[in-house]
Amino acid sequence: MPDRLSSGVPADGAPGRHGQEVADPRRWKALSVCLIAGFITWLDISIVNVALPSIRVALDAPPSALQWVVSGYAFAFGLLLVPAGRFGDTHGRRNVFLFGAALFTLASAAAGAAPAPGWLIVARVVQGAAAGVVAPQLTGLIQQLFQDAERGRAFGLLGATMSISTAVGPLLGGLLIRFSGEREGWRHVLHVSIPISLIAMILAYRYIPGRPAGKRRRESMDPVGVLLLAVGVLLLILPLVEGRAWPGQSKWLLILAGAVVLTGFVGWERWYGKRHDPIVDLSLFRRGSYALGTLLALLYFGGFTAIFFIITQYLQEGLHYSALRAGWVSAAFALGSALSAAFGGRVVVRFGRPLVVFGLVLVTLGLGATEPAMRLVAGQNVAWAIAAPLFVAGVGNGLIVSPNQTLTLSAVPVAEAGVAAGMLQMGQRIGASIGIAAVGSAHGIYAASFQQALLVNIVFVLAALAAGVADVFVERRAERRPG
């Protein structure tokens, strides 16, 4: 297993005394920048959840607009990951990082100043696109600067940071709304990332390596592929987000249309890939573990990211919890993730994919126990009742995100790290946008719609579990194969 995680590619391309490669001495400082940037880009996925009731009242926003505030960010995040990863690979990750962080800061300011729902949605989409520019630079840098066990630890810290930021987001958002007021507190929720982004930019300029001389080459960004992917995923999401507003059953034909467009996208990528570098390098999916790991990420994030969306909405709108009290519910999940994520990064070399499968089992058990726990207690005690199952799910989450990323990228050369990581994260973000749209389409009274949405989450996680088990069998069969 240790050989599997070694790319054999230099950390920074600098030869040592005996021809060996010398690790960049700034790598841990550069990692600290990655952790800060990872924290804010993932924080903005979940922190807005507790602010949605305030946004609804302040901007008179319909339910579909609130869903777009969340899923629009995730959708744009996913769409820009691969082109931005490739651009960072060929033009240097520091400059691309700085551009993305600056755009993220400006979009955050625009979102917090929004006078109407349409303005807010556009600002959130731009904010998500900027996060999509930043994110593949983080994983690409880890692939570039770290090797072997160090790489696993670095991904473990990044995974822990992302898991904690996603889970802590509702709590931080609740605190800001509590002290800033229900009417205008949501604006501070959207502005909180601005000072952190500025700090990350200053540190990035100092610690992230620049582009090595002679590495730049011209590459197409595959605009047709980007457009086909965007249209295909958008067609899948539209009937889910707008399901309540659009009467009749004909809207579900859009899902079929989306499948047709995505099929055309695959055909285009195959044709285009023979001549240029496509947005999705289909040859990477010939590596069984990469293909299954990416599928696992897409399915898992379809369930994981939407968990806090449905829980905070149910507690605030259904049980009339304050934003702060609803945010506290995520603390148990955050604690579980924090305890297990760094551990998972350290032991992933030893245990491999079975570690991820075990994590998925824990998440399934935790989510499966959440709804029965809610039914056992009175409404105002729900937060205490679901703390234990959410803690179990959080422990499982920490054993999934970072270890799966490490294992999925383990066979990818450093030269392709940005693109491969971007494709993996694109799967995560597209899964998240589809998952949020799917759980947001649940109808009925709050308790019934919460049960439906939670079931959708569990189905996504079970599908991810099936992909993880399949990868274990594929890997063991390959190990038994002679030669």
Side-chain angles (χ1 to χ4, degrees), residues 163-164 166-172 308 311-312 324-339 383 386-388 390-391 394-395:
S163 298
I164 292 169
T166 304
V168 166
L171 175 59
L172 179 57
F308 300 107
I311 288 180
T312 53
L324 178 58
R325 193 175 182 194
W328 271 111
V329 174
S330 66
F333 189 100
L335 178 62
S337 293
L339 292 175
I386 65 176
L390 284 180
F391 176 81
V395 171

Side-chain angles (χ1 to χ4, degrees), residues 133-269:
V133 172
V134 170
Q137 315 315 321
L138 312 183
T139 50
L141 279 166
I142 291 175
Q143 288 280 94
Q144 172 187 336
L145 298 177
F146 295 91
Q147 297 183 47
D148 303 324
E150 271 196 353
R151 184 180 295 169
R153 288 197 293 273
F155 273 127
L157 290 171
L158 182 62
T161 301
M162 293 188 300
S163 298
I164 292 169
S165 65
T166 304
V168 166
L171 175 59
L172 179 57
L175 285 169
L176 290 169
I177 291 174
R178 170 70 178 272
F179 293 108
S180 303
E182 292 283 340
R183 184 76 186 180
E184 296 297 320
W186 65 273
R187 298 188 186 276
H188 297 287
V189 166
L190 293 168
H191 282 156
V192 72
S193 60
I194 295 176
I196 306 175
S197 299
L198 293 174
I199 293 172
M201 291 170 65
I202 295 171
L203 295 176
Y205 186 80
R206 184 170 182 179
Y207 295 126
I208 292 180
R211 177 177 60 86
K215 292 281 186 175
R216 183 171 177 173
R217 62 185 188 273
R218 291 181 60 86
E219 288 189 3
S220 169
M221 293 294 104
D222 189 11
V224 174
V226 173
L227 179 62
L228 287 172
L229 179 63
V231 171
V233 175
L234 190 61
L235 288 172
L236 293 179
I237 293 174
L238 269 174
L240 297 172
V241 175
E242 301 290 347
R244 304 182 194 183
W246 294 352
Q249 300 300 315
S250 58
K251 60 178 175 284
W252 301 113
L253 293 175
L254 291 175
I255 294 181
L256 178 60
V260 171
V261 173
L262 291 175
T263 301
F265 164 75
V266 172
W268 167 264
E269 294 298 279

Side-chain angles (χ1 to χ4, degrees), residues 1-11 21 142-144 146-152 155 287 348-349 406-414:
M1 182 62 70
D3 291 337
R4 188 178 174 216
L5 295 180
S6 176
S7 65
V9 183
E21 306 301 336
I142 291 175
Q143 288 280 94
Q144 172 187 336
F146 295 91
Q147 297 183 47
D148 303 324
E150 271 196 353
R151 184 180 295 169
F155 273 127
R287 307 171 189 266
V348 62
V349 175
T406 302
L407 294 167
T408 304
L409 297 177
S410 61
V412 177
V414 170

